Amino acid sequence: MKLQNLLKLILLTLAFTNSATLPIGFPLKIYEGVGFLALVLLLAGGGFRLGRSQRIPLLWGVFFFGSMVASAWGLNELWSRDLSMLEWAHGRYNPLINTIFHYCYLAFDIGLLVLVLHALENKLLSLLDFCKWWLMGSVVAVAYGVVLNLFFLVGLPASLLLRFSAVDFMNIGGVLVARTGPFEEGNYFGLYLLASVVINLYAIQKSPHRFYRWCLPVLILGTVMTASPAALMGVVAVVIVAILTGGFSSSVRNITIVAGVVVFGFVIQSGLFQSVVLDKFSLLFTGGVTDTKNVSLIQRLNESYHAWQLFLDFPWGVGMGNFGYFFGYYPDLYTWLITDFNNFKPISNNVYMEVLSEHGLGMGLLFLALLYLKLKRLIRAHELTVAAGFILVCVYFVAFPTFRLSLIWVFWAFVVFLGQDTRESAQPIKE
């Protein structure tokens, strides 16, 4: 099978992280199997050629090996501690197995970054081909989310849609809405759709093809369905930037504005604004909690607080994936919040705190430098809409579980390649 065909299949199935998977102790995803095969073919075919894009993957290699210092210390420390109280720290979550798993997956993610850059650099796939297949996957993911809701509405089991794990719901106007789509939770789906809107807006600016224009309302519908405030605000912001920076026809601008007004009206009258903004941020607005069942923001603040305390004690890091083992040694930020860290593996729920506490200060600074380099390249290439979208994804990381999610690395590959050459990327692309 040709490498470009495997890459198209990866792009098409990136959203299916907890649906249409093979449950073998963890959900084995379609793109993982296809990606592994593609990487084997890439290496067997004489390796990869990245051209002007090679600097970023090399620095990620430094991050990969540099993080091993913190992991070596973390493993040594964990072996001296009693972890018997942690019911989850068995099997896959045994410290050694957990560390090996995380490094294998980080290597896979960096491999996907290299794979996409190689395909784009060597013209196995054009930028608009990349956009088309990513967006086809996005449309399929939104359609899956709609059908999932219809199944629950009529009482059909999610297993008929090859969904075997729990589904995340939100009460909107008295109606339970499945907000996960094919993902584990709505927050994941929201980040994916934000990245998809960024890619969609780039494609609209570079190509007159109707497919790209019709994708946008579908992606906006999916974003509303996720009930993720970060995704909703991010999509609104990047669309505004795209309209202000130009590249859209008057008809596209008018359709987008009308769609935005309709969506805004729906969000207000449906109670979604109350649920995802007023109730969720009530502690910040009023000093109290309006809905004690809607405390995800408070939980995230508490987990980030634990990560910060952990970093202050161990600025060299405790090792990738090891945050949860140390969670119980630190007090909660909110004493009334019940934290069951013995039965469920805690995570920092903030990418920056995750990197700082697990990988240490040195790799944390390198992580920030890599994000800065990617943004700098986009601005230099005058890709302001994608640059704005990239910034919004980075802001999203403040309340996101991890950066080790394959769709993030594939999106980063798009960003890195797009920012490599000012002269080429500033021009419209012919299909």
Side-chain angles (χ1 to χ4, degrees), residues 173-208:
V175 178
L176 284 180
V177 176
R179 54 193 292 258
T180 59
F183 284 85
E184 180 179 351
E185 59 175 77
N187 205 26
Y188 284 73
F189 198 13
L191 179 67
Y192 171 74
L193 289 174
L194 174 57
S196 298
V197 168
V198 174
I199 291 170
N200 192 183
L201 293 171
Y202 168 81
I204 290 173
Q205 290 176 328
K206 300 298 181 181
S207 169

Side-chain angles (χ1 to χ4, degrees), residues 46-120:
F48 48 86
R49 296 178 297 280
L50 305 182
R52 295 180 298 274
S53 301
Q54 65 182 350
R55 183 184 179 191
I56 299 294
L58 284 173
L59 288 174
W60 277 118
V62 173
F63 180 90
F64 180 90
F65 289 105
S67 298
M68 289 184 176
V69 175
S71 290
W73 180 88
L75 278 175
N76 183 65
E77 179 68 17
L78 288 173
W79 282 329
S80 67
R81 299 193 179 198
D82 181 14
L83 303 178
S84 59
M85 72 174 76
L86 303 178
E87 295 294 330
W88 52 267
H90 303 285
R92 171 183 167 186
Y93 294 115
N94 171 275
L96 179 59
I97 296 175
N98 182 65
T99 298
I100 293 172
F101 175 83
H102 278 292
Y103 273 100
C104 287
Y105 212 92
L106 180 56
F108 175 75
D109 286 332
I110 296 174
L112 286 184
L113 175 74
V114 170
L115 173 67
V116 176
L117 287 174
H118 171 83
L120 293 173

